[in-house]
Amino acid sequence: MEKIIDLGQYVAMFVNWLMDFGRPFFDFLKNSGNGFIDSIEWVLTATPFYVVILIFTLLAYFKAGKGVALFTVLGLGLIYMMGFWNDTMVTLALILVSTITALVLGVPLGIWAAKSPKADKAIHPILDVMQTMPAFVYLIPAVLFFSVGKFPGAVATVIFAMPPAVRLTTLGIKELPKDVIEAALSCGVTGTQLLFKVELPLAMRTISTGINQTIMMALSMVVIAGMIAAGGLGEQVLAGINNLDIGLGFESGLAVVILAIVLDRITQAFGNPKDKINNK
Amino acid sequence: MKDSIKIRVKDLTLIFGKRKKEALRLLTKGVSKTEILKKTGCTIGVDRATFDIKDGEVFVVMGLSGSGKSTLLRCLNRLIEPTAGEVFVNDDNITKKNNKELLEIRRSGMSMVFQNFGLFPHRTILSNIGFGLEIKGVDKKERLIKAQEAIETVGLQGFGEQYPNQLSGGMQQRVGLARALANNPEVLLMDEAFSALDPLIRSDMQDELLDLQKKLQKTIVFITHDLDEAIKMGDRIAIMKDGKIEQIGTAEEIITNPQSEYVEAFVEKVDRKTIITAETLMFKKYVTCLYAKDGPKGVLRKMREASVEVLPVIDENHKFKGFIWLNDVLSTQEEGKTSIMDTVKEEVPKVFPDCTVEEMMPLTTATKSPIAVIHPETGRLLGIISQVSIMIEATRFDKKEIIDLKKQSKEQ
Ligand SMILES: Nc1ncnc2c1ncn2[C@@H]1O[C@H](COP(=O)(O)OP(=O)(O)O)[C@@H](O)[C@H]1O
Ligand SMILES: [Mg+2]
């Protein structure tokens, strides 16, 4: 079919211009981002595996109960014994960095959208688009601006994993009972006091659900980011597929699933603290 | 209650919607609300309300759901920004305050109590009560002391460390009240504060608030949709309809003299006998006899002139002594006595002006005597209530009660 409009050409022109123009800025982002990722990765890999397993098991035990703790110790132990410990820590580091960044950007955005109907109107459709796009689409701009490696992997992950953090923060604040907010206002709270003393603590349950979803989405994206040489379990999965190595594919896939379950159960437990405030 | 004015509301108007200016213009031109809604899409929440609230008064705003009570109340502390009009507290124009001054007023001058309590579920009872102090920056020690005081005022000692959802509805509203009181405000705004409670607990809370009010003497703006509650709580009542104040007055004034059909329909079902008092019913232009001065002849002349068979007798200080009857005076005259002092019946029914019809009913059935209304301290005669006027009031009672009354009077 004949091309009537060459949209791609204009986009390419624009991106090229942006890359030339913003080179110093992008380089700065990449360097500091890589520094962050490397230091987290260094901490995780330098810590002996049994200490990491112990920390996760204790967290699981105190927050999520005995069953989850048992699963954690067995699951992570299996990962170690299969020889995927290092890759798992690399993946975990990328998840941590991406999640933290997604939250640092997403939660304030969510608060803003909850407070300003105009901001909400602008942010809402963007989030909708972000969530309907297939995950690997995010790899394209990341690679364009930052080539391959861990940092573009993290960038794609942040963009992909941010929507639930924004959405559920907005929801958590907006769904609060009107009379509780009015009660705070009638006591003479400032905007900041309202946010930090009433809205955020009360919305925390919903926001935790958002955090949990963000972590899970980050995990799935980090694996996909193996396609652009982000390292970790993703690259092992990819290698398994490319070489038709069923054994490698199965083992690395299993490691991803174990990591997913452990992270999910522990972060979910943070959202449902077993205290008396929430036992409605 | 002192007589100075605490809150003055002038032409207060609140319009919901985008085209407020246009709606306001139409409203002042006298265009109807449905018409304004059609033309501008704006709802009139409060329509030019004007009233004064006295210092230390319980001022009730009553009306059906949707009549604009909550909106009016929220305009007083500007939780809702008034569209037009003014609110003065202590002659200070609230509507002109900047944000900082407004926060100060909410922190120290006015507190609010909500229908669904509005407690903070993530804070303990003590921390709920101390919330207002916390945001004012009061240090923790003083906060605890004040919160503890407030918790004792509402009778919740021992519950300080619990969370709101561990308490019953009545207790939760005590916390709401304590939170409002902890700031020691001059004005309490209560939006249907007891409407969500069970009838029995509700009645208890009403009694307790009235008790508390005797001690605290706050100015209370009390919203309710329940006429019985309005009558029980209110020193004065404002009746609201479609955002407009229809009538303001004491319960008795409103019931005896409703100024619109709407108010009349509203108060129709009220149990009048618990509200109408001796003061309203009494006859003030009566003829009197003087205890130590009048003789039988003079009394007979007075009776003839007024064409009555019984007259009240007072002493030189206008203090009520008793009633004197025609037959007794005639016998006294036949006996040739010149004083009526032995003829006066002193064992007769006497009431104070605030005595209700209900309380007077037993008196009417026990004797044929009129009832004297006297001053509670000086004993001066203020007026006289005839059996007839009580019976007239009684004809507004239920049929069964009238039959009972008649039966009892026959048995006498
Ligand atoms: N935020 C709002 N937007 C539009 N209309 C409102 C809003 N809040 C209240 N109203 C309308 O204003 C009127 C008065 O409401 P309200 O003050 O809550 O009445 P009440 O407290 O007497 O039940 C009602 O007709 C209601 O529908
Ligand atoms: Mg209301």
Side-chain angles (χ1 to χ4, degrees), chain A residues 9 54 60 69 95 126 145 152 154 182 215 221 233 258 280:
Chain A
Q9 189 199 331
L54 183 72
I95 291 172
I126 298 176
F145 286 105
E182 279 194 322
I215 292 177
M221 191 64 202
L233 291 174
I258 291 171
K280 283 220 166 132

Side-chain angles (χ1 to χ4, degrees), chain B residues 178-192:
Chain B
R179 179 176 61 191
L181 291 176
N183 281 333
N184 196 20
E186 296 172 2
V187 178
L188 268 182
L189 306 176
M190 305 184 71
D191 190 3
E192 307 236 9

Side-chain angles (χ1 to χ4, degrees), chain B residues 16-17 43-45 63-72 191-192 223:
Chain B
F16 291 109
T43 311
I44 311 295
L64 299 176
S65 172
S67 57
K69 309 177 297 287
S70 298
T71 311
L72 174 67
D191 190 3
E192 307 236 9
I223 305 286

Side-chain angles (χ1 to χ4, degrees), chain A residues 178-190 193 197-198 201-202 276-280, chain B residues 74 77 79 103 106-107 110 112 114 116 118-123 131 134-135 163 165-166 179:
Chain A
K178 193 170 165 249
D179 60 341
V180 174
I181 304 301
E182 279 194 322
L185 288 173
S186 76
C187 289
V189 289
T190 61
Q193 285 174 328
K197 287 187 188 285
V198 179
L202 284 177
K276 38 198 158 202
I277 312 165
N278 291 310
N279 62 355
K280 283 220 166 132
Chain B
R74 280 160 178 72
N77 65 354
L79 278 188
L103 286 191
R106 289 183 189 163
R107 286 174 180 189
M110 288 187 181
M112 199 157 171
F114 296 83
N116 295 311
L119 300 182
F120 307 121
H122 62 301
R123 291 168 163 259
F131 184 79
E134 183 180 324
I135 59 167
Y163 284 88
N165 70 343
Q166 294 175 293
R179 179 176 61 191

Side-chain angles (χ1 to χ4, degrees), chain B residues 315 317-321 352-353 373-382:
Chain B
D315 69 10
N317 295 323
H318 212 274
K319 196 172 163 207
F320 180 68
K321 293 300 282 188
F352 296 145
V373 183
I374 59 170
H375 191 277
E377 278 127 42
T378 60
R380 283 169 62 97
L381 180 65
L382 298 172

Side-chain angles (χ1 to χ4, degrees), chain A residues 99-169:
Chain A
T99 305
I100 291 168
T101 313
L103 293 181
V104 166
L105 297 175
V107 172
L109 265 181
I111 293 171
W112 189 35
K115 297 273 169 184
S116 148
K118 273 189 194 150
D120 196 26
K121 260 195 191 145
I123 292 171
H124 209 91
I126 298 176
L127 293 183
D128 286 341
V129 173
M130 279 165 86
Q131 279 191 319
T132 43
M133 297 252 261
F136 55 81
V137 169
Y138 295 106
L139 296 176
I140 300 165
V143 171
L144 274 178
F145 286 105
F146 305 106
S147 116
V148 293
K150 284 185 182 136
F151 183 70
V155 170
T157 307
V158 168
I159 298 171
F160 180 71
M162 207 165 65
V166 181
R167 251 183 225 283
L168 285 155
T169 302

